[in-house]
Amino acid sequence: MLRPILKYGDQMLHEPARTVESITPEIERLVDDMIETMYAAPGVGLAAPQVGLPLRIFVVDISIGHDPSGLMVFINPEFVERDGVQLEEEGCLSVPGFNATVVRPSRAVVKGLDRAGTVQQHEGTGLLARAFQHEMDHLDGTLFVDRLRGIKRDLIVRRIKKLTRAGKW
Ligand SMILES: [Zn+2]
C-alpha cells in the first residue's frame, strides 16, 4: 500500500523518532509499504517519519529496484564508522522540487536489524554513504535543508513558506 509522504513543515519530520521495540506484523506491513512508496516516488531512500510514523526505520535502494540486491531495510540503525567528505547535489521526497549541495561523509558503515530482526551491517561509499546519512538524519528529525547554511537555506525555507501560504505545498 502506498503511503502519503509528509512534506517539510510537518511536525513529524522535525522530531526524533523512537526505537522499535519489537518487529510486529504492523512493523512488517509498514516496511513493505515504505518499500512500495519509495519505488513509486521514485526515490533512493525513505524513512518512517516521512510516512507519518516516528519510528527508527529506513529503507534504501540506490538502484531504485533495478538491482535485486540493492534493497536494504534498517530497523534501529546506528553508525559504526563514518569518514571522508563528499559534496554533491541532494534532494528529498519530503522537499519536492528543491535541491542543494550538502556536505556528507564519503564512506559510512551502518548497523541495524533487517526486517527479520537479524543484526546486519552494510558499508556504503559515494551515493550509498550519502543515502545512509540522509536517512539517518530523518530519524533524528533533520532534513537536508537543516544542513544548509545562510542564504541557501533561507531561500528554500522562504519559497516553501510562500508555497504553503498559496496552498501549493
Ligand atoms: Zn529525505
Side-chain angles (χ1 to χ4, degrees), residues 45 50 91-94 134-135 138 143-144:
Q50 291 182 277
C92 177
L93 295 175
S94 294
H134 180 111
E135 300 311 326
H138 272 302
L143 301 189
F144 82 86

Side-chain angles (χ1 to χ4, degrees), residues 2 7 17-18 21 30 41 44-46 48 51 55 58 65 68 74 78 87-89 92 106 108 113 129 138 163:
L2 292 180
K7 288 182 187 169
R18 293 193 308 266
E21 299 297 343
L30 169 64
V44 299
L46 190 71
V51 291
L55 296 169
F58 73 76
F74 279 101
E78 52 189 82
L87 262 167
E88 296 290 339
E89 279 264 302
C92 177
S106 56
L113 303 178
H138 272 302
L163 287 167

Side-chain angles (χ1 to χ4, degrees), residues 50-76:
Q50 291 182 277
V51 291
L53 282 136
L55 296 169
R56 302 191 77 81
I57 304 172
F58 73 76
V59 296
V60 154
D61 182 355
I62 58 168
S63 83
I64 322 178
H66 294 290
D67 173 2
S69 68
L71 177 64
M72 284 172 240
V73 175
F74 279 101
I75 298 169
N76 300 336

Side-chain angles (χ1 to χ4, degrees), residues 8-114:
Y8 182 98
D10 191 297
Q11 199 46 42
M12 178 77 69
L13 290 172
H14 303 281
E15 286 171 5
R18 293 193 308 266
T19 299
V20 175
E21 299 297 343
S22 65
I23 302 172
T24 59
E26 287 73 29
I27 296 290
E28 290 181 62
R29 201 167 318 125
L30 169 64
V31 168
D32 288 339
D33 290 351
M34 284 171 64
I35 293 166
E36 197 181 334
T37 303
M38 170 178 72
Y39 286 149
V44 299
L46 190 71
Q50 291 182 277
V51 291
L53 282 136
L55 296 169
R56 302 191 77 81
I57 304 172
F58 73 76
V59 296
V60 154
D61 182 355
I62 58 168
S63 83
I64 322 178
H66 294 290
D67 173 2
S69 68
L71 177 64
M72 284 172 240
V73 175
F74 279 101
I75 298 169
N76 300 336
E78 52 189 82
F79 283 117
V80 177
E81 282 172 39
R82 268 180 292 181
D83 43 61
V85 173
Q86 59 170 316
L87 262 167
E88 296 290 339
E89 279 264 302
E90 191 168 314
C92 177
L93 295 175
S94 294
V95 196
F98 294 94
N99 288 289
T101 303
V102 186
V103 183
R104 299 291 194 188
S106 56
R107 176 179 165 273
V109 180
V110 180
K111 189 171 101 175
L113 303 178
D114 65 13

